[in-house]
Amino acid sequence: MLLRCLKAELQKCRRSPVWLAFLVLPVVPAVLGTANYLANLQALENGWYSLWGQHTLFSSTFFLPALLGVFCAWQWRLEHTDHNWNQFFTAPVPLRDLYAAKLILAAGISLLAQGCVGLWFWLGGRAAGLTGPLPPQLPQWLLCGAVGGVAVCAAQLLFSLVIRAFAPPVAVGLAGGILGLMATAQGWGYLCPYSLLCLGMRANNPRMELELPLFFGSALGYIALFALLALWYLGRRDSRE
């Protein structure tokens, strides 16, 4: 059943250009980060590591949370229009599978976005004249960023489920990214789901440190919490249909 639901979500995705944003829009923070790096070469002396800090400061705070918010809002858009909730609830599959398909697809998009961030990071470094090898920790940064992104997706799927309009959940994603940066600066990053994207990518983290057990525990906890809340809301909505 879950595979059927996932195939249906993929078919919807193929017919929409929304996923192209995750290939194109990461160019913007990459350009901004590279330009900021080149403008501060005297202060940024750690090569690839300094460039990564500039790239992720923009992408993890402003662009990625908003992009994930756009995708999650789009995932519920079809159900919110043209009375498609009736078709959603009468489908011969469990609600948990219908929701899980959306979350799995959002997780895949989060991973795709991190792959694009890594690609543009490499291209930005070459454009900036960096010739040494990429940091060996880069795969871990991207993977942890993707995990943090899944926690953001779980939150955004809940907001997009409850809020019928398209724009407000996207605004929540953007505000959440800024709130996450503030929470991280205060040392409360592991308590805020939107901080996990920033923490996982090591944004604004000169020592590139991360408490992996606490990070993964917080991410999995928030994913489970928001998923349970979404399923509870779906169950209540189903009972009112």
Side-chain angles (χ1 to χ4, degrees):
M1 291 294 184
L2 178 58
L3 289 177
R4 290 174 57 189
C5 295
L6 188 56
K7 288 180 180 179
E9 291 295 326
L10 286 171
Q11 288 178 354
K12 288 165 52 180
C13 188
R14 291 194 194 101
R15 298 172 183 174
S16 173
V18 66
W19 62 272
L20 292 175
F22 291 84
L23 298 176
V24 177
L25 289 185
V27 177
V28 179
V31 171
L32 292 175
T34 302
N36 199 47
Y37 170 77
L38 291 173
N40 297 276
L41 286 175
Q42 293 182 346
L44 303 174
E45 301 176 346
N46 291 327
W48 286 107
Y49 292 89
S50 296
L51 180 64
W52 178 255
Q54 298 305 307
H55 275 224
T56 54
L57 180 61
F58 290 103
S59 61
S60 68
T61 304
F62 301 106
F63 288 89
L64 286 179
L67 281 173
L68 294 173
V70 167
F71 186 77
C72 292
W74 171 82
Q75 283 188 289
W76 288 112
R77 182 175 175 81
L78 183 61
E79 282 75 26
H80 284 319
T81 57
D82 299 328
H83 303 288
N84 280 306
W85 280 112
N86 292 332
Q87 182 179 358
F88 184 88
F89 286 123
T90 56
V93 292
L95 288 177
R96 64 176 181 274
D97 289 349
L98 293 168
Y99 171 82
K102 294 182 182 294
L103 181 59
I104 291 172
L105 184 58
I109 290 295
S110 177
L111 186 60
L112 173 63
Q114 290 296 321
C116 293
V117 168
L119 173 62
W120 289 112
F121 170 63
W122 176 74
L123 291 174
R126 295 306 182 193
L130 297 177
T131 57
L134 289 168
Q137 305 96 331
L138 180 60
Q140 186 192 88
W141 299 343
L142 296 174
L143 178 60
C144 290
V147 172
V150 178
V152 172
C153 288
Q156 289 298 133
L157 281 174
L158 175 62
F159 295 136
S160 299
L161 169 64
V162 175
I163 304 172
R164 293 178 60 90
F166 185 86
V170 178
V172 170
L174 180 59
I178 299 173
L179 177 63
L181 179 63
M182 296 171 59
T184 302
Q186 295 296 322
W188 303 334
Y190 296 102
L191 300 178
C192 176
Y194 289 89
S195 297
L196 298 177
L197 183 58
C198 178
L199 287 173
M201 296 178 72
R202 315 303 201 275
N204 200 27
N205 186 351
R207 296 185 179 183
M208 303 297 179
E209 296 176 344
L210 183 67
E211 296 184 36
L212 289 175
L214 185 57
F215 170 79
F216 283 107
S218 179
L220 293 175
Y222 275 119
I223 292 169
L225 173 63
F226 289 123
L228 290 174
L229 288 174
L231 290 173
W232 172 78
Y233 181 84
L234 282 171
R236 291 184 68 248
R237 187 185 183 106
D238 188 18
S239 66
R240 295 195 302 267
E241 293 294 332

